[in-house]
Amino acid sequence: MSGLDLSQFYETFFDEADELLAQMEQLLLGLDAQAPDIEQLNAIFRAAHSIKGGAATFGTFQKLAETTHLLENLLDAIRRQDMALRADMVDIFLETKDVLKSQLDAYRGSEEPDEAVYERICAVLRQLAEEDGAPAHGAAPAAASAPPAQEETMHMPAASATGTSDKPTCVRIRDISGKDAQSLLEEMGNLGVVLHSESKSSGLAVWVQTTCSVADIEAVCCFIVNADQLRITHEAAPRAAAPDVVSQFEAAASSFAPPEAPAPSAARPAGNAAAPRPQKAAAPAAAPADKESTSIRVGVEKVDQIINLVGELVITQAMLTQTASTLDPVVHDRLLNGLEQLERNARDLQESVMSIRMMPMDYVFSRFPRVVRDLASKMGKQIELETQGRATELDKSLIERIIDPLTHLVRNSLDHGIETPDKRIAADKEPVGKLTMSAQHHGGNIVIQVTDDGAGLNRDRILKKAMEQGIPISENMPDEEVWQLIFAPGFSTAEKITDVSGRGVGMDVVRRNIQDMGGHVQLSSRAGQGTTTRIVLPLTLAILDGMSVRVGTETFILPLNHVTESMQPTEDQIYTVAGDERVLHVRGEYLPLVEMHRAFAVGEAQQDPTQAIAVIMQAEDKRFALLVDHLVGQHQVVVKNLEANYRKVPGISAATIMGDGSVALIVDVFALARANREKWSSAAETVLN
């Protein structure tokens, strides 16, 4: 293999190993130590085996390979029932997974993993093996003998382990698809000279003249197939193979040609090995294999580049449409029809490209069983985690940022919300508390909820703490406003500071992070029944549907999903309260009236509300009226970061480029709602009284 540069596959290996470690963690968390499921054990073993094989093949990730080798031996002994699984073993395996993740991150950053941590976890694994009589091999995995599961199918003579037999190496693989067969043929060509190949009954046999060891061949094959599908021997190739090796290889490869173009073998090293085959695997492990067979791996930077180009296309299309609006439709009929078609194609392309950036919430939810398990154990609580809407999709740029706020919310629910078993029994509840995480699409937004069945928020304690911190409050405040107090900086109702909470630096960070993503967070709670935190986020921050409005000489963009209706106010609908503040009476509801020319200091704007247009907006379950001069139209706009290119502007979330080349500001609806909430509340009370 000296002629093959394996460094080109490093990043693919890192990504695949990350996925395998995540899968391993989920399977370990779902493992019943008293009655372990054999299919789950097999899936965990295969995940460890694939990581070990890949690390050993590259030859530069020795600590990762050695650690997984020790873990693999223990898992193999357990699945073969040579060792009994205990609850403390699951804890050790989870800790080993954490160490493997840190090693992987170190190698990804071109660094060596922590030596002390490596020595400690290896010592723990060896000690565990010695206690239970399992093999604790410390030799390098590449030179290690095959695991017992593979010994049943390999039937190797002694000389085969070194690859020094005079006879060529015969690699037989069963239950293999045509696409995978072709990939393996190509890999065999990299290992040596392919002498002959045969395919029949969904199986493949390849005779290759190579100096590579069995472990090396196995490691390469396990990027594509499972170890139990392999049988490696040393035997003479069929005589018919002698004349023309190249033609034999080409003929064999062509016989496996799939209906579509095959993905490069390097793009999917461990996908099939990561999960058991559907007909015999546990359900949690089978889904990734199906997905992997019809997918390719593309770097995030390439997707972002496509998104940016589509954005530029949308801007160009808007420019052409605006320019063509002045043309005579009779004379330029074909041009205008072409532009309409371009607009439809641009929208379809945008939607298609945006779907590539979308990721399921399972990517986020899969992180929390471990968090809940560890915290529940630390706090002496019994907690059941339920997730709903795992397939709900969100933009990748947002899905990475939502993990931290959700972690804060989950920790809060476990610490402050759900009670200990004895307190729950005393309150006539089940001793096991329930934490539910859900996600669902709602219009152009995604709604994420974290719900617990704990004690709920304590209104009196929150008000008392607010008074101590000098926060202006009223005893008659509605519950909704009281709950919002916990988002104040430094606010905490914890009686003592622990390593979990109590410092008052969590919930304000949660709200700030959510707001930075263009979303908002709401709380609802009932004493003795639990608390629900509701997060509403836009599905993407790249391109949005907006309504352009004119205020004086300026153009603003209102996110269309916040616009409910527009109207021209009359004199009898407008009331002045609290000095010069105004509210708009619409169908029995008093809506705060926000004059955009005052909010953004725009000159030459319409001063008379009855001559302007009121756009009814909805944000954070609140409605208000936004006063503008003119409605221009509805169209897609490409979101540009204003803070990165200029500076932070209060009440403005971003900017966009219009068809005429001018810059329009995108209004931050939530910021306007928050900035005026107290003022609007007092104004409405004045009117109603």
Side-chain angles (χ1 to χ4, degrees):
M1 296 180 60
S2 58
L4 181 64
D5 181 15
L6 295 179
S7 62
Q8 59 184 308
F9 304 128
Y10 281 3
E11 196 60 37
T12 300
F13 168 72
F14 294 146
D15 291 341
E16 294 289 349
D18 266 334
E19 294 175 5
L20 290 169
L21 288 174
Q23 180 193 1
M24 186 188 299
E25 182 178 82
Q26 294 303 306
L27 290 169
L28 284 169
L29 291 171
L31 201 60
D32 184 357
Q34 303 301 318
D37 187 286
I38 185 61
E39 296 299 340
Q40 286 182 302
L41 288 174
N42 286 336
I44 297 169
F45 168 79
R46 278 189 284 266
H49 180 73
S50 297
I51 297 173
K52 183 220 59 175
T57 299
F58 289 119
T60 55
F61 310 133
Q62 292 301 321
K63 289 185 173 64
L64 179 65
E66 174 65 12
T67 308
T68 48
H69 181 56
L70 294 172
L71 175 63
E72 177 192 37
N73 285 338
L74 287 168
L75 292 169
D76 188 56
I78 293 171
R79 74 189 187 119
R80 290 170 58 83
Q81 299 183 353
D82 294 336
M83 178 187 295
L85 181 65
R86 306 190 307 267
D88 65 306
M89 290 182 180
V90 177
D91 294 332
I92 292 173
F93 295 160
L94 286 169
E95 184 185 0
T96 305
K97 175 263 165 186
D98 293 338
V99 173
L100 292 173
K101 182 66 170 68
S102 66
Q103 292 176 345
L104 196 67
D105 292 341
Y107 285 127
R108 191 192 293 268
S110 302
E111 300 176 355
E112 276 294 314
D114 188 290
E115 182 72 27
V117 174
Y118 163 71
E119 293 290 349
R120 181 186 61 79
I121 198 65
C122 287
V124 171
L125 294 174
R126 290 191 181 99
Q127 179 65 29
L128 186 62
E130 291 171 0
E131 289 175 358
D132 289 83
H137 304 305
S145 60
Q150 298 160 42
E151 291 175 1
E152 298 173 2
T153 60
M154 286 187 179
H155 307 296
M156 298 283 298
S160 66
T162 62
T164 58
S165 173
D166 294 333
K167 296 180 180 179
T169 301
C170 178
V171 181
R172 288 186 171 86
I173 307 114
R174 58 181 176 84
D175 299 330
I176 186 172
S177 66
K179 185 188 295 185
D180 290 344
Q182 183 174 359
S183 297
L184 277 172
L185 277 170
E186 294 172 358
E187 292 295 340
M188 292 298 106
N190 293 326
L191 296 177
V193 179
V194 176
L195 302 177
H196 184 63
S197 63
E198 295 178 352
S199 60
K200 57 181 178 180
S201 303
S202 69
L204 173 69
V206 183
W207 284 261
V208 57
Q209 192 69 50
T210 178
T211 57
C212 296
S213 68
V214 171
D216 286 341
I217 298 172
E218 177 197 337
V220 171
C221 292
C222 284
F223 274 118
I224 299 176
V225 298
N226 298 328
D228 56 7
Q229 294 174 251
L230 290 173
R231 182 171 180 258
I232 304 176
T233 60
H234 284 285
E235 57 186 74
R239 294 184 179 183
D244 187 355
V245 174
V246 176
S247 61
Q248 289 277 359
F249 176 77
E250 291 178 346
S254 64
S255 67
F256 289 104
E260 67 274 357
S265 59
R268 39 177 312 211
N272 288 5
R277 298 212 165 248
Q279 64 266 28
K280 60 181 181 179
D290 296 337
K291 283 186 179 181
E292 186 68 21
S293 63
T294 57
S295 64
I296 60 173
R297 187 178 300 278
V298 179
V300 176
E301 66 281 354
K302 293 183 179 180
V303 178
D304 289 340
Q305 184 181 14
I306 294 175
I307 293 288
N308 292 333
L309 291 173
V310 170
E312 296 301 322
L313 178 63
V314 172
I315 293 174
T316 304
Q317 177 264 318
M319 179 185 67
L320 292 173
T321 301
Q322 183 165 333
T323 303
S325 63
T326 61
L327 300 178
D328 187 339
V330 178
V331 179
H332 302 283
D333 178 63
R334 294 184 61 186
L335 174 61
L336 296 177
N337 288 337
L339 289 175
E340 290 180 4
Q341 183 64 42
L342 174 62
E343 183 177 1
R344 288 193 295 269
N345 292 344
R347 178 175 285 273
D348 291 343
L349 177 62
Q350 176 256 315
E351 291 176 354
S352 188
V353 171
M354 290 306 302
S355 67
I356 298 175
R357 252 179 71 148
M358 306 303 279
M359 294 181 62
M361 283 297 295
D362 182 58
Y363 178 83
V364 176
F365 289 164
S366 62
R367 299 172 180 249
F368 288 96
R370 177 72 182 282
V371 174
V372 171
R373 180 184 187 273
D374 291 348
L375 286 177
S377 176
K378 182 181 294 185
M379 299 175 185
K381 298 180 179 181
Q382 300 176 24
I383 298 172
E384 175 190 355
L385 174 64
E386 180 182 341
T387 56
Q388 302 170 358
R390 299 173 74 96
T392 306
E393 293 186 326
L394 181 64
D395 191 305
K396 178 176 174 55
S397 63
L398 295 176
I399 214 165
E400 295 284 357
R401 296 164 63 183
I402 196 63
I403 293 175
D404 185 65
L406 284 178
T407 301
H408 278 291
L409 295 178
V410 168
R411 290 167 69 92
N412 259 20
S413 288
L414 268 59
D415 189 24
H416 302 294
I418 299 177
E419 313 95 328
T420 55
D422 56 331
K423 291 183 178 179
R424 291 183 63 86
I425 293 173
D428 199 23
K429 294 182 177 180
E430 293 291 330
V432 180
K434 187 173 183 180
L435 180 70
T436 304
M437 302 181 71
S438 65
Q440 62 178 336
H441 286 157
H442 184 73
N445 297 317
I446 185 174
V447 179
I448 304 170
Q449 292 191 160
V450 179
T451 303
D452 65 68
D453 66 347
L457 298 176
N458 190 314
R459 176 186 172 95
D460 294 336
R461 184 184 295 179
I462 293 174
L463 290 175
K464 180 181 178 182
K465 190 69 175 180
M467 291 180 63
E468 292 175 359
Q469 295 190 355
I471 300 175
I473 59 171
S474 168
E475 291 291 338
N476 299 322
M477 291 173 64
D479 285 347
E480 181 183 327
E481 294 186 19
V482 175
W483 308 149
Q484 290 294 321
L485 292 173
I486 71 174
F487 292 108
F491 192 93
S492 176
T493 59
E495 297 177 356
K496 61 180 181 179
I497 296 177
T498 67
D499 58 347
V500 178
S501 65
R503 295 175 176 82
V505 295
M507 296 303 287
D508 64 316
V509 175
V510 168
R511 184 166 70 172
R512 185 169 64 251
N513 289 343
I514 297 299
Q515 291 171 356
D516 289 343
M517 289 185 279
H520 65 278
V521 57
Q522 303 164 328
L523 278 174
S524 61
S525 182
R526 296 182 66 181
Q529 298 186 30
T531 303
T532 295
T533 306
R534 187 169 184 259
I535 297 173
V536 181
L537 291 174
L539 292 178
T540 180
L541 297 181
I543 298 176
L544 61 81
D545 290 311
M547 174 182 286
S548 56
V549 298
R550 296 283 294 181
V551 180
T553 58
E554 299 293 333
T555 301
F556 294 89
I557 303 295
L558 306 178
L560 200 58
N561 60 317
H562 292 291
V563 178
T564 59
E565 62 179 306
S566 59
M567 58 183 294
Q568 189 166 12
T570 59
E571 284 287 353
D572 60 344
Q573 291 179 300
I574 299 174
Y575 294 82
T576 303
V577 295
D580 61 349
E581 297 301 329
R582 295 170 173 172
V583 294
L584 182 67
H585 187 219
V586 181
R587 294 186 290 275
E589 183 181 8
Y590 291 93
L591 303 177
L593 190 63
V594 180
E595 299 173 76
M596 286 196 65
H597 70 273
R598 293 176 60 185
F600 297 107
V602 179
E604 303 180 16
Q606 180 60 251
Q607 305 293 318
D608 185 359
T610 62
Q611 300 299 312
I613 302 294
V615 183
I616 311 301
M617 310 292 293
Q618 176 131 7
E620 298 181 339
D621 290 339
K622 301 287 186 181
R623 282 162 48 94
F624 64 97
L626 206 58
L627 206 62
V628 303
D629 292 359
H630 305 284
L631 301 180
V632 179
Q634 300 177 14
H635 42 251
Q636 283 188 317
V637 297
V638 180
V639 180
K640 301 291 186 181
N641 191 308
L642 185 63
E643 192 170 352
N645 295 286
Y646 176 56
R647 62 178 176 83
K648 180 82 173 167
V649 178
I652 300 298
S653 62
T656 188
I657 301 174
M658 304 299 288
D660 59 358
S662 63
V663 175
L665 300 178
I666 301 174
V667 176
D668 187 344
V669 180
F670 298 113
L672 288 181
R674 290 189 300 270
N676 295 274
R677 179 182 288 123
E678 291 185 9
K679 181 170 61 178
W680 297 342
S681 297
S682 61
E685 287 177 7
T686 303
V687 173
L688 294 173
N689 294 331

